[in-house]
Amino acid sequence: RTRTKTTTMSLPTHALEIDPESSLQFTITRDPAKDGSDGSSRCTMTLRHPGNTKGYLAFKVKTTQPRRYLVRPNQGIVAPNSSETVSILLVDKDRQVLWSSYERLGQSALDHSKDKFLVQSCAVADEFSAKFANEPRMMGEGGGGQYKKELVEELTAMWNSASSDSNRPVYNKKLHVRHVVDTAAAAGAAPANTASSNNNNNNLPPSFQEGVDKRNNADKMSPEQLTDEVASLRRKYDELVAFSVNLTAERDILNNTLEQTKRDLNREMATRTALEKQGLKVGSRLQDSKSSKSSGGVSGKTLLIVVVVACLSVIRATNLGSLDGLGSVPVLGGMLGFDSPTQKSGRGWNDEL
């Protein structure tokens, strides 16, 4: 009694007592319907109001795997000194997956579950809790103790405002999930599994047959041998997973490289086509301009050479005195520097005088 009081006093006034305190355990069986259960794997969680406050407390249950677990009710109101039972159901499809993992690798495949639950609780106003005081709740398979739709919507809106309101304290409690196998059901299913496996193992390759034989002789192994065998299978499984992950990564890299190469090739072809189209026009223009420049250059050089040769010829002829006859030409003689006949006669008259 003293311990309970100490535990209750250590909790804040807006916190609910949760049972179990740290983890939720789900029992996995091969066929729950044949094992005398209702055909499902479920567990219950009790939320109790410790009575250290006169106000009602609201709760909300969350999980990291909402598609694997069905929680009823997942939110509600708890009166002082009263309790609420929350039922959590493991979906049958995931139960079968977990059972298959257990058959391949044993309990070690179920010991590292990352599934978690989060239970939140906070205080609510008397006006808000009064709406839930005398309201009937939907019971049975479909209802699961849920309130009617309007009240559920009000609870959801209240929790949305509480998560964004820093002035309203919210108590959070995390619970881990444990999956365990009913050993009696597993032992009863073992002979059937052995018989079916013996019927299907006649055509297996030798490498696979060795592993099957070890599995069939598991009941004859010591605990140490079973542990070693499970560890060996676990390592092989991890190697296969790592190998498949590496293959997937390499495939993605090759696909990305191929796509990038295709894009680069298409871009290069488009650029080359555009340059070829522009190159035909520019190239023809450049060729025309070059031809015109080259033709003009040849004619200029030829003309210059002709002028130089003509000048040299005139100079040579002048020195030899063979161009005196050109002096009688009025214009040409003046241009070449010859004296006209009149100038020659005048100059001779002056000399006589």
Side-chain angles (χ1 to χ4, degrees):
R1 186 178 302 174
T2 305
R3 291 181 180 178
T4 305
K5 184 176 181 181
T6 303
T7 304
T8 303
M9 294 302 294
S10 62
L11 292 175
T13 56
H14 58 278
L16 292 171
E17 293 181 355
I18 302 172
D19 184 30
E21 295 183 355
S22 59
S23 63
L24 299 173
Q25 179 173 307
F26 293 86
T27 301
I28 310 298
T29 57
R30 179 179 179 82
D31 192 353
K34 294 181 180 180
D35 297 335
S37 62
D38 60 351
S40 60
S41 298
R42 69 174 69 236
C43 73
T44 58
M45 177 173 53
T46 303
L47 308 178
R48 193 178 72 86
H49 192 311
N52 51 6
T53 178
K54 296 181 179 180
Y56 282 66
L57 297 180
F59 71 89
K60 186 177 182 64
V61 182
K62 298 180 180 180
T63 178
T64 56
Q65 295 288 345
R67 296 183 179 181
R68 176 174 289 184
Y69 302 98
L70 184 62
V71 182
R72 289 292 182 272
N74 62 338
Q75 57 183 350
I77 298 291
V78 183
N81 296 317
S82 62
S83 61
E84 180 76 27
T85 301
V86 178
S87 176
I88 305 174
L89 172 67
L90 176 64
V91 178
D92 187 66
K93 181 180 68 174
D94 292 282
R95 179 196 60 79
Q96 294 177 1
V97 172
L98 293 173
W99 177 262
S100 299
S101 301
Y102 172 80
E103 285 187 322
R104 294 195 312 269
L105 304 174
Q107 182 61 39
S108 61
L110 309 179
D111 290 340
H112 304 286
S113 176
K114 296 182 180 180
D115 301 349
K116 296 179 183 179
F117 281 83
L118 175 66
V119 181
Q120 296 179 306
S121 61
C122 69
V124 294
D126 295 337
E127 295 80 5
F128 183 81
S129 60
K131 301 178 183 180
F132 300 83
N134 298 320
E135 285 292 332
R137 302 169 67 174
M138 296 180 292
M139 306 305 293
E141 295 182 0
Q146 293 277 38
Y147 295 97
K148 62 181 182 179
K149 183 178 179 181
E150 293 78 7
L151 295 179
V152 171
E153 292 177 352
E154 290 191 19
L155 272 174
T156 303
M158 186 276 297
W159 278 110
N160 291 335
S161 63
S163 60
S164 59
D165 187 4
S166 58
N167 296 324
R168 174 178 289 184
V170 176
Y171 178 73
N172 297 313
K173 177 64 176 179
K174 293 182 180 179
L175 293 92
H176 295 271
V177 173
R178 295 182 63 249
H179 299 117
V180 297
V181 174
D182 187 356
T183 55
N193 294 337
T194 304
S196 61
S197 61
N198 289 334
N199 294 330
N200 297 326
N201 291 336
N202 296 327
N203 299 323
L204 290 176
S207 58
F208 287 92
Q209 187 66 40
E210 181 181 358
V212 172
D213 293 339
K214 289 183 178 180
R215 178 181 173 183
N216 293 338
N217 296 328
D219 55 345
K220 300 178 182 180
M221 294 183 180
S222 63
E224 292 79 7
Q225 292 176 341
L226 286 174
T227 303
D228 295 339
E229 184 65 22
V230 170
S232 176
L233 292 174
R234 184 67 181 180
R235 285 194 300 270
K236 293 179 180 179
Y237 174 76
D238 293 339
E239 291 175 359
L240 287 175
V241 170
F243 182 71
S244 63
V245 169
N246 292 333
L247 284 181
T248 303
E250 292 179 0
R251 182 200 63 189
D252 295 339
I253 293 173
L254 290 176
N255 288 336
N256 294 334
T257 305
L258 180 59
E259 293 296 330
Q260 183 64 32
T261 304
K262 288 181 179 179
R263 289 193 293 268
D264 294 341
L265 180 60
N266 293 334
R267 191 182 301 111
E268 181 67 23
M269 292 179 64
T271 304
R272 182 175 298 178
T273 303
L275 290 177
E276 288 178 354
K277 290 181 180 179
Q278 296 178 0
L280 291 176
K281 299 178 180 180
V282 176
S284 60
R285 293 178 182 176
L286 290 176
Q287 186 174 2
D288 294 340
S289 62
K290 287 181 179 179
S291 61
S292 62
K293 288 181 180 179
S294 61
S295 62
V298 171
S299 61
K301 290 180 180 179
T302 304
L303 180 60
L304 180 60
I305 292 173
V306 171
V307 171
V308 171
V309 171
C311 292
L312 292 176
S313 300
V314 170
I315 294 172
R316 178 177 177 82
T318 304
N319 294 331
L320 296 176
S322 60
L323 294 178
D324 293 339
L326 295 176
S328 59
V329 180
V331 178
L332 187 58
M335 292 177 62
L336 296 176
F338 294 101
D339 294 334
S340 63
T342 307
Q343 291 176 348
K344 285 185 178 181
S345 61
R347 184 173 55 247
W349 292 337
N350 291 331
D351 290 340
E352 288 179 359
L353 289 175

